Amino acid sequence: MHDPAGRIVVVLDLDGVTDKAGLMDRCARDLALPDWFGRNWDALADSMADPALWPEGAGERGLLVVVRGWRKYAETRPEEWQVAEEIFAEATDRGPGLFVTLGLGESSERPPDQPG
């Protein structure tokens, strides 16, 4: 995936995630968080906002995190998803050069839901 602004792009694919533990595991994997990542909301916010934990070059160029496959999780656990969105917003506010966006499609594997 290419970002016209030149930022490093990381895809956070939540396809199949149905709970907070799954979200934390997927964040650890897709965002390449360190082994000591605490797998809780505060640790996620701190890790995402820390340019030292971003991919090489992202501190200079910026980091764009594209969240895909999030709709099922949001529908299954709306309270948790609301917290996750708040964490993404907080990390974006704290992390200079960090941008988080929600992908429109359901996942990277399947096309978006079709009407009918």
Side-chain angles (χ1 to χ4, degrees):
M1 181 174 284
H2 173 73
D3 175 37
R7 297 171 290 208
I8 302 289
V9 179
V10 173
V11 175
L12 174 56
D13 191 347
L14 301 184
D15 191 34
V17 170
T18 58
D19 60 17
K20 179 182 172 185
L23 171 69
M24 294 298 166
D25 288 345
R26 200 63 61 88
C27 287
R29 183 193 77 186
D30 291 355
L31 303 177
L33 299 178
D35 291 339
W36 49 261
F37 168 61
R39 286 179 163 74
N40 61 58
W41 297 122
D42 289 337
L44 180 59
D46 291 345
S47 297
M48 289 185 73
D50 186 350
L53 300 179
W54 296 355
E56 186 175 338
E60 298 80 37
R61 294 172 49 192
L63 178 63
L64 173 62
V65 177
V66 179
V67 183
R68 289 188 175 162
W70 57 272
R71 292 182 197 278
K72 181 78 171 172
Y73 178 50
E75 292 167 3
T76 305
R77 301 283 179 108
E79 297 85 10
E80 285 182 15
W81 178 245
Q82 183 177 1
V83 175
E85 286 188 298
E86 291 169 5
I87 294 298
F88 296 152
E90 177 187 334
T92 298
D93 288 345
R94 290 174 42 204
L98 173 66
F99 300 89
V100 179
T101 186
L102 302 181
L104 299 178
E106 183 56 28
S107 80
S108 58
E109 303 298 320
R110 296 189 304 254
D113 291 336
Q114 299 297 317

